[in-house]
Structures are given as structure tokens and as C-alpha cells.
Amino acid sequence: MAKVAVLLAPGFEEAEAIITIDILRRMQIEVEMLACAGSRAVVSYHNIPMVADSTLNERKTTLYDAVVLPGGPQGSVNLAASEEVVRFVAAHDEAGKLICPICSAAARVLGGNQLLKGRRYVCSGDLWETVQDGLYVDAPVVEDRNLLSGKGLGHAFDFALTLAARLLKDETAVRDHADHIYYAW
């Protein structure tokens, strides 16, 4: 069974995180929420407190099949500023695991730490203008090798369903589930 880490830093965009977690778990993909803070308690962008499954520090040597990086103006800044997050993402990237930023996380976390490595990506707004090492593509979801990026909250279902299909290596069950929740994917 595929296993996914969702990194939650203070100020994370809760809807991007929850939609992704929900879709993956519905598809029987194991998801572990990792707090990128001193405790498992993390407060989201809109001041919603959440309790993660573990802290990143407790799982820093664990390899997952995918790492999801939700956006959020402050959340992505906090992820980008964490050396522990950068090391964790870099280790997964080097191992060929899926790296999955959504919204501002692609530009701030990956672009801000030279982790795009020339790959195509999408991010929110005009943050792409500050990125030097990737190729911005204006699309809801962009895939380039092991990088799967989503534009933002409005495309969170597309992002999560695409990720589920890649992890399951089959779109049939994912398409069936998209129909089940009345989402045209």
C-alpha cells in the first residue's frame, strides 16, 4: 500500500491539505500528517487547530511514496524556512519519490531552495516570477517526472485525484470515485 506524508507547518492552507488527505484515504492510500513544528498541534491559515499524526522530527528518516506540501501564505514560508523540511523533501526527491506541492509551496519551498531542478511546475499567482530553477506552466496540475504540482485551492480535487491515480498506477478506480463524489475529473 502506498504511503504519503502531508507536511503541515503553522499557517498551512487547510482546505488544500484536507481535500488531499480525504481523497487519498478514500482511495485506501495511507496518509500520515506530519507537523512541522515542536508539537503535533498545528494551527492553519484560517486559525483552525489540527492535531497531526506525528511530527516531522519523529519521521525524518522515514521514506514515503509521496510528500505533499500544502500552500498557504505563511504555511509555505514556514515550510521553506525549515532546514528539516528541505532535507526531508530533498531525500525523497533523490530517492525518486513523488514530490507534490500545491499553491505557493512549489515556488516558495521548492523554488526557494533550488529543488525544482529545471522541472516543469505550477504555482499560485505570480510567485513563478521569483523562481530561477524551474519552468512554470499555467495549468491546474503539472507533472514532470516525480514532481506533481497543483495551482491552488480551486484545483485541489484535480491535484488529489491525479496524485491518487499515480500512486495506485491506475485511473479506473479514481475515475469511479470522482463520479461517486460528483466531481468531473
Side-chain angles (χ1 to χ4, degrees):
M1 173 188 287
K3 190 169 182 180
V4 177
V6 178
L7 304 186
L8 304 178
F12 71 94
E13 197 343 293
E14 59 277 333
E16 293 168 356
I18 293 298
I19 289 169
T20 304
I21 293 163
D22 180 276
I23 292 296
L24 296 177
R25 287 186 175 171
R26 285 172 183 254
M27 299 306 306
Q28 306 302 309
I29 295 168
E30 188 176 343
V31 176
E32 189 167 13
M33 297 180 291
L34 302 181
C36 301
S39 76
R40 291 177 37 223
V42 186
V43 178
S44 74
Y45 177 45
H46 293 102
N47 294 314
I48 300 171
M50 290 188 57
V51 178
D53 301 305
S54 300
T55 65
L56 177 58
N57 189 51
E58 293 170 324
R59 298 288 188 260
K60 63 186 173 190
T61 60
T62 303
L63 265 184
Y64 296 83
D65 297 297
V67 176
V68 173
L69 302 133
Q74 193 58 48
S76 59
V77 166
N78 288 335
L79 288 173
S82 168
E83 291 179 18
E84 189 174 48
V85 167
V86 172
R87 279 192 301 272
F88 188 77
V89 172
H92 280 79
D93 193 21
E94 289 168 19
K97 305 300 183 182
L98 288 171
I99 306 301
C100 309
I102 184 169
C103 198
S104 57
R108 289 194 175 126
V109 182
L110 302 184
N113 289 288
Q114 293 72 50
L115 295 172
L116 285 170
K117 300 176 184 174
R119 291 174 286 197
R120 295 176 304 115
Y121 74 98
V122 66
C123 65
S124 60
D126 59 1
L127 292 172
W128 62 272
E129 293 177 355
T130 65
V131 175
Q132 303 298 313
D133 71 334
L135 177 63
Y136 176 78
V137 177
D138 187 8
V141 177
V142 175
E143 296 179 73
D144 190 341
R145 296 175 297 224
N146 67 320
L147 177 65
L148 188 153
S149 55
K151 190 165 190 169
L153 176 56
H155 298 289
F157 278 99
D158 295 310
F159 173 79
L161 292 163
T162 302
L163 175 55
R166 293 310 158 262
L167 289 168
L168 295 172
K169 297 177 177 43
D170 181 12
E171 290 187 2
T172 304
V174 179
R175 290 202 179 278
D176 289 345
H177 192 72
D179 289 343
H180 175 73
I181 63 169
Y182 307 105
Y183 186 78
W185 179 70

